[in-house]
Amino acid sequence: MTSKVVLVRPKRFGDERGWFSEVYNESTFRDHGIVDRFVQDNHSLSVPAGTLRGLHFQTPPFAQAKLVRCIRGRIFDAAVDIRRGSPTYGKWVGAELSAENGHQLYIPVGFAHGFVTLEPSTEVTYKVSALYSPANDGGISWTDPQISVHWPLPGGQSPILSAKDDRQPLLRDFASPFEYDGTPLELIEV
């Protein structure tokens, strides 16, 4: 099982009709250390560009690994290491996911996740490894200066946030239930 953030670049096979892509294959993902059993698919629509969702996670025993992809529009997707004792605690990695590039981001347990939409009417789907549990729903402030994610907000605008995301705690006020497993934050591409 990998605890690395993985940028997955599925192959597309195209012709005059369009293209075909295999976006999930258990065997192929296992070959790259992704062995999570995904139990729920989520789908979001963000109408205005600049909609920011995150930074979210679920705590044990309902901690979630995620496999995120953008099926319409473009997003900047970020993962933040929140495993206590990690030498990369509070550090982040990010990637642009779009309907055009077809890339996906795998985010293991122990990382907070968030994204900002770069185009209007952007749709995102993601698989998760545990069912949603309101009692285990958590988050960190998207604007935490300790983390300092470089959100590429369209036109330098302020993000459009939910009330929940506007009041998330800072990392310094968060007692992480996630433990470091010996693998520092690293974005690998497959």
Side-chain angles (χ1 to χ4, degrees):
M1 174 185 278
T2 188
S3 60
K4 295 180 179 178
V5 178
V6 180
L7 181 62
V8 180
R9 296 176 180 216
K11 291 182 178 138
R12 287 185 173 172
F13 304 93
D15 60 25
E16 66 280 352
R17 300 167 298 160
W19 54 262
F20 168 84
S21 181
E22 188 175 84
V23 297
Y24 180 77
N25 178 304
E26 183 179 42
S27 177
T28 302
F29 275 64
R30 188 181 322 110
D31 290 347
H32 295 291
I34 300 171
V35 297
D36 299 279
R37 178 177 168 254
F38 294 110
V39 299
Q40 180 177 312
D41 281 5
N42 300 324
H43 186 160
S44 71
L45 166 66
S46 300
V47 176
T51 298
L52 196 147
R53 298 177 186 263
L55 297 160
H56 302 149
F57 56 87
Q58 277 194 182
T59 58
F62 296 99
Q64 295 177 328
K66 297 177 179 178
L67 180 62
V68 182
R69 70 187 180 119
C70 181
I71 62 170
R72 184 168 75 171
R74 286 185 312 130
I75 64 170
F76 176 76
D77 204 30
V80 178
D81 187 347
I82 56 171
R83 300 167 299 160
R84 73 176 179 274
S86 171
T88 53
Y89 184 78
K91 303 293 185 216
W92 64 275
V93 294
E96 184 175 299
L97 309 181
S98 69
E100 185 176 324
N101 70 24
H103 298 169
Q104 301 177 77
L105 197 63
Y106 168 77
I107 300 146
V109 167
F111 292 78
H113 167 253
F115 66 86
V116 64
T117 60
L118 304 175
E119 294 181 5
S121 297
T122 292
E123 292 186 61
V124 174
T125 64
Y126 54 102
K127 296 180 171 304
V128 294
S129 63
L131 297 175
Y132 176 65
S133 172
N136 298 85
D137 190 22
I140 300 292
S141 175
W142 69 276
T143 189
D144 189 316
Q146 182 180 343
I147 299 168
S148 197
V149 173
H150 299 281
W151 299 106
L153 288 157
Q157 72 184 60
S158 294
I160 299 159
L161 302 166
S162 69
K164 172 183 144 184
D165 287 343
D166 197 30
R167 65 176 185 271
Q168 294 288 8
L170 296 174
L171 187 62
R172 70 173 182 239
D173 300 324
F174 169 62
S176 179
F178 303 104
E179 292 189 37
Y180 179 59
D181 63 359
T183 306
L185 173 66
E186 179 182 3
L187 177 65
I188 61 171
E189 298 182 22
V190 298

